[in-house]
Amino acid sequence: MDGLPSILHADLDAFYASVEQLLDPALRGRPIAVGGGVVLAASYEARRFGVSGGMSGRLARERCPELVFVRGRFAEYRRLGDRVMEILGDYTPAVQRISVDEAFLDVGGSRRLFGEPAHIAAQIRRRVREEVGLPISVGAASTKHLAKIASQVAKPDGLVVVDPGREREFLDPLPVRLVWGVGPATEARLHARGVTTIGQLARASPEMVRGLLGAVHGASLQDRAGNRDPRPVRPSGRGRSVGAQSAFRRTAPTPDVLGPVLGHLADRVAGRLRKADRAGRTVTVRVRFRDLRSVSRARTVAEPVSCTLTLREIAEELVAAALVDHPGEREVTLLAVSVSRLEEHLAVQMELPVEGDDPHRPGSPSGTARMAVDRSMDAVRRRFGRGAVGYAAVALSDRTAVPDEFRELAEHDV
DNA sequence: TCTGGGGTCCTAGGACCC
DNA sequence: TCTGGGGTCCTAGGACCC
């Protein structure tokens, strides 16, 4: 798949930490971590000490005694990420945003206006630096996958253009871990077969790779390694599921403790669904035990759910079922609730007369009462913010608690 | 390093239908 | 009576990504 390098991948460097250093000059050049109990992001200065995202704050401090912790200004991350995306949008409408700080662009149609892709990439980097004040790395190549690898190689604060005809030369010596879809488990299996570079994966026997990793996964990884994965840049679609989870210290799984946690999670999930005028038919819960093993239970219902109380009840039943199946587990460390098989579903709807009183039906008398509760909560929140009313965030989580603003940054569009 | 929170996709196997 | 074979929907778990 040699061709003109018209795909760009733009990725802000150590985004949260860079924003903090931008907003507070005293932090520049110093090792900083965003977060407290858990490191949500680390500056490059901190990474040199072995500090990385997901690490406990205590370990990070051990590795880097002069590490500066900052709380995190999440609204600023959203605002500055949006400004960067606006700059990208100046060069093409074909922008596929992957997360708050990362996007693909197809600039194939932008040559006449803005010049060659390499030139556009350089302009983007300069404008983001001058107009926003942040470092951004860009990769330019003939495919999304190759552009993404190029931007990773370019970091920090660099530009890598993979010229047509030189794709193999660029790709072959790189570690196989850089292939999109190769995580720790796949990497270990490939290493066990002596496959450590992308070139080796590209040239390995397809039978061996498919036997090792499964037909579909194996074939797609080899396509990527061989640069035969021509997926187009397309503006991101709507999400397929909505979920929320909460980790906490070891807790005996009694209904009086887990009920409020599930109420809070159901409220977050159902509130987002209603805001997007959607509802879903499959409810899934996940329960994690002390040893970090987890189990899930799911139920698909006939009528799409977006009501907080209904979701909470289903979640409670599923969690109870999971616990019954694992009677030996005396402590729980995480609960998750998610809703999938989403459908369009206007949150404000007519009261439909139906016989019986199944509260799970939106038109039933008690179903209508439930919706009225949701609607008035939603209205109060629209005026006064999410924290104004509702299920209190549960205080089970102390050290590991992550602020709601951070959760919102990770949310995909529903 | 014992691990936060948001997602996606894939697979195997069972239930059920024709 | 026992049987083939395909399709769909669903559940549980795993791997991966940002």
Side-chain angles (χ1 to χ4, degrees), chain A residues 49 70 74 114 136 141 147 154 274 283 303 313 330 352 396 414:
Chain A
F49 289 86
V70 292
F74 300 98
F114 300 107
I136 187 167
R274 293 193 299 270
V283 178
E303 201 67 42
E313 287 171 356
R330 302 316 313 155
L352 305 168
L396 275 178
V414 187

Side-chain angles (χ1 to χ4, degrees), chain A residues 208-232:
Chain A
M208 185 277 279
V209 174
R210 287 199 290 260
L212 195 63
L213 307 174
V216 175
H217 194 222
S220 78
L221 290 188
Q222 269 197 305
D223 281 347
R224 289 176 195 149
N227 201 32
R228 294 183 304 271
D229 184 10
R231 279 178 303 174

